[in-house]
Amino acid sequence: MSGDESGRGSPNPEIDPVTLEVLRNQLEGVAEEMGTVLIRGAYSPNITERRDCSTALFDAGGRMVAQAEHIPVHLGAMPEAVAAVRERDPAPGDVFVLNDPFTGGTHLPDVTLVSPLALDGDVVGFAVSRAHHADVGGMTPGSMPAGAREIYQEGLRIPPIRLVEGGDRADGGDRVDDAFDLIFANVRNPAERRADFEAQLAANERAGDRLRDLADEHGRDRLEAAFDAVIDYSRERTTAAIRDLPDGSYEADDVLEGDGVTDSDIPIRATVTIDGGSLAVDFAGSADQVAGNCNAPLAVAKSAVYFAVRCVTDPEIPPNHGCYEPVSVSAPEGSILNPEPPAAVVGGNVETSQRAVDVVLAALGGAAPDRVTAGGQGTMNNLTIGNRDGGAGGRGEGGGRGEGGDRDGDAEESFTYYETIGGGFGARPDADGMDGVQVGMTNTLNTPVEALEAAYPLRVERYAFRPDSGGDGRQRGGLGLERSVRVETAATVSLLTERRRHAPAGHEGGEPGALGENLIDGEPVPAKATVDVEPGTTVTVRTPGGGGYGDPAERDPAARERDRTDGKTTEGDPTEE
C-alpha cells in the first residue's frame, strides 16, 4: 500500500507498511513498559494507585515518537521539556531533572526526568518520565496552595540540571549527590520523594535497554528510519482528518471562577481557524495573567489544544509529534495562557487547562457538532491534605519502603495526600455521559479507600455517586461524585476546583449538569481555598455532573425508568404533567 489522500499508507519508502506497524507497536511498547516500571517502582499512592505519571520516547531532534496512554496535560507539554534539555548539550549517560514551568515544565509538582539514549556512542533519542510528586516544598503541604501570588510560594523550582552525569558513558553515569541533596532538603517527605525519583530513574533506564534491543533486532538505521516513518504516518492521517472539517473560523468563550486571590470571573476565549489540512488556535481575548495561581504556561495551553483536536479527529491515529505538526497555538505574552515569570501557575496546569479544553471543544463544535459532547465537569477537583510539622504520619511506624525506617533524620515524617476526583462526563449525541470519571486533561485513577486509609491519617466517610447531578436530555449527562474524608490530625487542606457557580453546559437543548460544592464540617468553602483544620474535621467534595444532550422530552421512557431503578434520579419524569 502506498501513501494516499487518506494518509493510511506508509509515507516512508524505506519501511513497508507491515514493518512500520510492527515497529510502531514496539516503540509504543517501550513507552508503556516505562510507565509500568515507574508505577510498580514508586512509593507514593499518587503514583502507584492513581497513576499520576506519564512516559514517552523522543527522537534525537526532540520529536515525540511514542507515548504511553497516560495524562494529556503531561504528554502534550513534554516536547518543551526535551527542547529545554537539548539546549544543555546532553551527553550519553546523563539524566536531567526539571520542573520549572517557564523552562519546559507544567507546574512544580510535576517533576520530569529526561535521559539521552545512545547507540554506538551517539544520542539517538530521549526517554522522558513525568510524575506528580505529592510535595515539592512551598508554602503549604502538597505544594498546591490556593492563595499563591508567585511561583516561589508553590515549591522548589528546578531548571534543567544534571541529576546523573554521564561524561559520554552510555552505560550510565555518576549521580550528582549535591543535586539530590538540594531537592530532598526542600520537600516535606524526603523518603517518599527519594523512592519516587528512583522509580523514574528506573523507567528511563528501561527505555535505554529496550531501545538497544530494538537496534539489535532491526538494525540502527532501520530503527531511526522508523522514527521518521511513524511521525510521517500520524502527520498525514491528522492532516487528512483536519481537511475533512469545514474551513472557517469558530469562536467560543467561558470563564474561570476566580484565581484563589480574587473571586471574580476570568474570561478564556479561543478562536479556531481551519484552513485545509491545518488548524490554528488563538487565545487572544483571554484575560491577562492574574495575581493568583491560575496562570497556565503556553506548553499547558498547547496540551489542551492537542487533546481537543484528537477528540474531534480519528482517535486511532498514533499519538506522536506528527499529530501536532498541523496544529498551531498562540496566546498573547503576559496573558493567563502565556504568563511571564514569576507568575503562580499550579492551578493553571490543573484547572485553566480544563477550561481551555472546554472552549476549544466548544469552538470545534461549530465545525464538527456531531463529534463534541455536552459539557463535562470541567475541573479536576484537586484536594490536597497534609501536615506541616510531622506528627501522625501514615503507614504506621517505620518509614518508607526501601529506607529501612530511616526518614532522613525525622522521627515522624509529614504526610501529603493529593487527589483529583472524578465527576460527570458530558452526554454524547448517541449515548449518555459516563458517571464519576476523570474528564479532559487528566486520566488518573482514584485512590482506593483501603490504600488511602493505610497510607494517611485519613478516613473515608462517604464515597458515592450524586443522584440527579447529570443534566437531563435525550441523552443524560454523567453523575458527579461525593467524597467525604475525615482528617485525624491537625492538617492543612487545599482545594483547587471549578464549576461551583457556572454549571457544565448542556448541548442541543440538553440541561446543564449540577454544580459542584466544597464543604468543611458541613460549611461551604470557596472553589479555591486553603484552610488549616483540627483533628476530626470532615472535608467533603461534591463534584459536578455532566451536561445533557438533546431535548429532554425525547428521552426514551425506558431509559428514564432505568435511571430511577439504578438510583441515578430520584424524581419522576419531569416531562410529564
Side-chain angles (χ1 to χ4, degrees):
M1 180 186 297
S2 60
D4 57 22
E5 284 299 307
S6 71
R8 293 181 181 276
S10 168
N12 190 313
E14 297 181 18
I15 299 181
D16 63 86
V18 173
T19 304
L20 171 61
E21 189 68 8
V22 169
L23 280 162
R24 179 182 69 80
N25 279 278
Q26 287 180 317
L27 291 169
E28 290 179 2
V30 173
E32 292 286 354
E33 188 173 352
M34 288 175 64
T36 300
V37 170
L38 173 51
I39 291 164
R40 291 183 176 178
Y43 182 36
S44 66
N46 193 51
I47 299 173
T48 61
E49 300 289 352
R50 295 189 60 248
R51 304 187 180 185
D52 195 349
C53 59
S54 300
T55 51
L57 192 64
F58 287 71
D59 71 3
R63 301 180 303 171
M64 182 186 285
V65 173
Q67 66 177 53
E69 295 295 338
H70 287 155
I71 313 299
V73 75
H74 287 177
L75 294 162
M78 271 188 183
E80 307 290 336
V82 177
V85 168
R86 291 181 69 232
E87 293 179 358
R88 269 69 175 178
D89 297 322
D94 286 347
V95 180
F96 281 79
V97 60
L98 65 93
N99 73 348
D100 183 0
F102 299 103
T103 318
T106 52
H107 66 173
L108 297 182
D110 287 342
V111 179
T112 306
L113 267 57
V114 180
S115 301
L117 302 177
L119 294 172
D120 304 322
D122 300 321
V123 173
V124 298
F126 297 88
V128 185
S129 61
R130 174 168 282 167
H132 184 116
H133 286 251
D135 185 274
V136 290
M139 63 189 288
T140 62
S143 312
M144 301 278 285
R149 290 176 174 266
E150 56 183 3
I151 195 169
Y152 310 114
Q153 296 174 298
E154 297 180 328
L156 177 65
R157 184 177 171 191
I158 310 170
I161 61 172
R162 285 177 173 84
L163 198 62
V164 177
E165 190 164 15
D168 293 325
R169 300 204 322 268
D171 59 345
D174 299 319
R175 297 193 178 203
V176 182
D177 291 334
D178 290 347
F180 280 96
D181 291 345
L182 176 64
I183 292 168
F184 298 141
N186 283 278
V187 299
R188 291 178 175 83
N189 34 17
E192 186 174 87
R193 295 288 69 72
R194 187 184 299 277
D196 289 348
F197 266 83
E198 293 292 343
Q200 284 188 256
L201 287 166
N204 286 21
E205 289 171 6
R206 182 62 59 88
D209 294 340
R210 292 295 177 255
L211 200 69
R212 286 187 287 273
D213 291 343
L214 291 178
D216 291 341
E217 179 181 352
H218 299 284
R220 174 179 167 179
D221 290 344
R222 181 164 290 259
L223 180 61
E224 292 189 84
F227 293 167
D228 292 329
V230 296
I231 290 170
D232 292 345
Y233 176 70
S234 291
R235 181 185 62 249
E236 293 202 6
R237 288 189 60 182
T238 300
T239 300
I242 294 172
R243 192 177 290 120
D244 286 341
L245 301 174
D247 286 354
S249 291
Y250 308 90
E251 297 183 355
D253 60 81
D254 206 332
V255 296
L256 291 168
E257 299 169 342
D259 64 355
V261 173
T262 68
D263 196 39
S264 301
D265 286 346
I266 301 166
I268 304 291
R269 177 179 294 275
T271 300
V272 177
T273 302
I274 300 171
D275 183 8
S278 66
L279 186 151
V281 177
D282 185 1
F283 287 104
S286 298
D288 292 339
Q289 69 185 71
V290 293
N293 67 16
C294 286
N295 302 291
L298 186 60
V300 171
K302 290 179 179 179
S303 290
V305 171
Y306 298 152
F307 171 80
V309 171
R310 284 188 61 78
C311 287
V312 300
T313 55
D314 185 350
E316 298 300 319
I317 298 173
N320 58 47
H321 180 81
C323 298
Y324 308 156
E325 286 191 357
V327 180
S328 61
V329 183
S330 61
E333 292 185 4
S335 70
I336 193 169
L337 287 158
N338 189 9
E340 298 176 345
V345 300
V346 71
N349 183 67
V350 290
E351 295 302 293
T352 308
S353 67
Q354 295 282 71
R355 196 61 66 251
V357 168
D358 286 349
V359 297
V360 174
L361 282 176
L364 285 170
D370 59 336
R371 302 185 194 178
V372 175
T373 70
Q377 68 163 343
T379 175
M380 295 190 195
N381 301 295
N382 302 270
L383 172 62
T384 308
I385 306 174
N387 57 352
R388 297 178 181 274
D389 56 359
R395 294 187 173 87
E397 300 177 0
R401 184 179 67 203
E403 297 297 316
D406 179 5
R407 296 192 171 200
D408 290 5
D410 293 333
E412 290 281 3
E413 188 174 69
S414 61
F415 80 95
T416 48
Y417 154 76
Y418 172 65
E419 183 99 46
T420 59
I421 305 173
F425 191 93
R428 295 157 282 183
D430 57 355
D432 290 350
M434 293 175 283
D435 303 325
V437 295
Q438 302 288 359
V439 172
M441 294 301 282
T442 185
N443 188 32
T444 56
L445 303 178
N446 69 340
T447 305
V449 172
E450 299 84 355
L452 186 155
E453 294 185 344
Y456 308 112
L458 306 172
R459 292 295 176 266
V460 177
E461 296 186 334
R462 180 173 174 79
Y463 190 31
F465 290 126
R466 295 179 63 198
D468 302 314
S469 58
D472 200 3
R474 185 178 69 248
Q475 307 294 345
R476 184 179 297 283
L479 299 182
L481 293 170
E482 179 173 335
R483 192 169 178 99
S484 292
V485 179
R486 187 174 75 249
V487 186
E488 298 193 327
T489 185
T492 300
V493 175
S494 291
L495 289 154
L496 296 176
T497 63
E498 280 285 320
R499 297 300 189 199
R500 268 50 185 175
R501 63 173 181 259
H502 296 286
H507 198 53
E508 297 296 321
E511 295 184 356
L515 292 170
E517 189 176 17
N518 304 330
L519 306 168
I520 294 182
D521 280 342
E523 295 296 321
V525 295
K528 299 167 184 67
T530 294
V531 182
D532 290 331
V533 300
E534 297 299 319
T537 300
T538 297
V539 180
T540 299
V541 177
R542 295 173 180 159
T543 69
Y549 195 106
D551 187 347
E554 298 176 1
R555 186 160 178 78
D556 184 353
R560 290 198 179 278
E561 181 59 31
R562 285 195 300 273
D563 293 340
R564 289 191 289 270
T565 301
D566 293 343
K568 294 189 176 185
T569 60
T570 58
E571 299 178 354
D573 187 342
T575 66
E576 294 179 355
E577 297 264 277

Coordinates of all heavy atoms in Angstrom, one line a residue, residues 335-367:
S335 N -0.5 36.9 29.1 CA -1.9 36.5 29.3 C -2.0 35.3 30.2 O -0.9 34.6 30.5 CB -2.5 36.2 28.0 OG -2.1 35.0 27.4
I336 N -3.2 34.9 30.6 CA -3.4 33.8 31.5 C -2.9 32.5 30.9 O -2.6 31.5 31.6 CB -4.8 33.8 32.0 CG1 -5.0 32.8 33.2 CG2 -5.8 33.4 30.8 CD1 -6.4 32.9 33.9
L337 N -2.8 32.4 29.6 CA -2.4 31.2 28.9 C -1.0 31.3 28.3 O -0.6 30.5 27.5 CB -3.4 30.8 27.8 CG -4.7 30.2 28.4 CD1 -5.9 30.4 27.4 CD2 -4.5 28.8 28.8
N338 N -0.3 32.4 28.7 CA 1.1 32.5 28.3 C 1.7 33.5 29.3 O 2.2 34.6 28.9 CB 1.2 33.0 26.9 CG 2.7 33.0 26.4 OD1 3.6 32.5 27.0 ND2 2.9 33.6 25.2
P339 N 1.8 33.2 30.6 CA 2.2 34.2 31.6 C 3.7 34.4 31.6 O 4.5 33.5 31.1 CB 1.7 33.6 32.9 CG 1.8 32.1 32.6 CD 1.4 31.9 31.2
E340 N 4.1 35.5 32.2 CA 5.5 35.8 32.4 C 5.9 35.5 33.9 O 5.1 35.7 34.8 CB 5.8 37.2 32.0 CG 5.6 37.5 30.5 CD 5.8 39.0 30.2 OE1 5.8 39.8 31.2 OE2 5.8 39.3 29.0
P341 N 7.1 35.0 34.1 CA 7.5 34.8 35.5 C 7.6 36.1 36.2 O 7.8 37.1 35.6 CB 8.9 34.1 35.3 CG 9.4 34.5 34.0 CD 8.2 34.7 33.1
P342 N 7.4 36.0 37.6 CA 7.3 34.9 38.4 C 5.8 34.5 38.7 O 5.4 34.2 39.9 CB 8.0 35.3 39.7 CG 7.6 36.8 39.8 CD 7.6 37.3 38.4
A343 N 5.0 34.4 37.7 CA 3.5 34.1 37.9 C 3.4 32.8 38.6 O 4.1 31.8 38.4 CB 2.8 34.1 36.6
A344 N 2.4 32.7 39.5 CA 2.0 31.4 40.1 C 1.2 30.6 39.1 O 0.4 31.2 38.4 CB 1.2 31.7 41.4
V345 N 1.4 29.3 39.0 CA 0.8 28.6 37.9 C 0.2 27.2 38.3 O -0.3 26.5 37.5 CB 1.9 28.3 36.8 CG1 2.5 29.6 36.2 CG2 3.1 27.4 37.4
V346 N 0.3 26.9 39.6 CA 0.0 25.5 40.0 C -1.5 25.2 39.6 O -1.8 24.0 39.2 CB 0.2 25.2 41.5 CG1 -0.7 25.9 42.4 CG2 0.2 23.7 41.8
G347 N -2.4 26.1 39.7 CA -3.8 25.9 39.4 C -4.0 26.0 37.9 O -5.0 25.4 37.3
G348 N -3.1 26.7 37.2 CA -3.3 26.8 35.7 C -3.1 25.4 35.0 O -3.9 25.1 34.1
N349 N -2.2 24.6 35.5 CA -2.0 23.3 35.0 C -3.2 22.4 35.1 O -3.5 21.6 34.2 CB -0.8 22.6 35.7 CG -0.4 21.3 35.1 OD1 0.0 21.2 34.0 ND2 -0.6 20.2 35.9
V350 N -3.9 22.5 36.3 CA -5.0 21.5 36.6 C -6.4 22.1 36.3 O -7.3 21.3 35.9 CB -4.9 21.1 38.0 CG1 -3.7 20.2 38.3 CG2 -4.9 22.3 39.0
E351 N -6.6 23.4 36.4 CA -7.9 24.0 36.2 C -8.0 24.8 34.9 O -9.0 24.7 34.2 CB -8.3 24.8 37.4 CG -8.4 23.9 38.7 CD -9.5 22.8 38.5 OE1 -10.7 23.1 38.4 OE2 -9.1 21.6 38.5
T352 N -7.1 25.7 34.7 CA -7.2 26.5 33.5 C -7.0 25.7 32.2 O -7.7 25.9 31.2 CB -6.1 27.6 33.5 OG1 -6.2 28.3 34.7 CG2 -6.3 28.6 32.3
S353 N -6.2 24.6 32.3 CA -6.1 23.7 31.2 C -7.5 23.1 30.9 O -7.8 22.9 29.7 CB -5.1 22.6 31.5 OG -5.6 21.7 32.6
Q354 N -8.3 22.8 31.9 CA -9.6 22.2 31.7 C -10.5 23.2 31.0 O -11.3 22.8 30.0 CB -10.2 21.8 33.0 CG -9.5 20.7 33.8 CD -9.9 19.3 33.2 OE1 -9.4 19.0 32.1 NE2 -10.6 18.6 34.0
R355 N -10.4 24.5 31.4 CA -11.3 25.4 30.7 C -10.8 25.7 29.3 O -11.7 25.9 28.4 CB -11.3 26.7 31.5 CG -12.5 27.7 31.1 CD -13.8 27.0 31.4 NE -14.0 26.9 32.8 CZ -14.0 25.7 33.4 NH1 -13.9 24.5 32.7 NH2 -14.2 25.5 34.7
A356 N -9.5 25.6 29.0 CA -9.0 25.8 27.7 C -9.6 24.6 26.8 O -10.0 24.9 25.6 CB -7.5 25.8 27.7
V357 N -9.6 23.4 27.3 CA -10.2 22.3 26.6 C -11.7 22.6 26.3 O -12.2 22.4 25.2 CB -10.1 21.0 27.4 CG1 -11.0 19.9 26.7 CG2 -8.7 20.5 27.4
D358 N -12.4 23.1 27.3 CA -13.9 23.4 27.1 C -14.1 24.4 26.0 O -15.0 24.2 25.2 CB -14.5 23.9 28.4 CG -14.6 22.8 29.5 OD1 -14.5 21.6 29.2 OD2 -14.9 23.2 30.6
V359 N -13.3 25.5 26.0 CA -13.6 26.5 25.0 C -13.2 26.0 23.6 O -13.8 26.3 22.6 CB -13.0 27.8 25.3 CG1 -13.6 28.4 26.6 CG2 -11.5 27.8 25.4
V360 N -12.1 25.3 23.5 CA -11.6 24.8 22.2 C -12.6 23.8 21.6 O -13.0 23.8 20.4 CB -10.2 24.2 22.2 CG1 -9.8 23.6 20.9 CG2 -9.2 25.3 22.6
L361 N -13.1 22.9 22.5 CA -14.1 21.9 22.0 C -15.4 22.6 21.6 O -16.0 22.3 20.7 CB -14.4 20.9 23.1 CG -13.3 19.8 23.3 CD1 -13.7 18.9 24.4 CD2 -13.2 18.9 22.0
A362 N -15.8 23.6 22.4 CA -17.0 24.4 22.1 C -16.8 25.1 20.7 O -17.8 25.1 19.9 CB -17.3 25.4 23.1
A363 N -15.7 25.6 20.4 CA -15.4 26.2 19.1 C -15.4 25.2 18.0 O -16.1 25.4 17.0 CB -14.1 27.0 19.2
L364 N -14.8 24.0 18.3 CA -14.8 23.0 17.3 C -16.2 22.4 17.0 O -16.4 21.8 16.0 CB -13.8 21.9 17.7 CG -12.3 22.2 17.6 CD1 -11.5 21.1 18.3 CD2 -11.9 22.3 16.1
G365 N -17.0 22.6 18.0 CA -18.4 22.1 17.8 C -19.1 22.8 16.7 O -20.0 22.3 16.0
G366 N -18.6 24.0 16.3 CA -19.2 24.7 15.1 C -18.8 24.0 13.8 O -19.5 24.1 12.8
A367 N -17.6 23.3 13.9 CA -17.1 22.6 12.7 C -17.5 21.2 12.6 O -17.7 20.6 11.6 CB -15.6 22.8 12.6

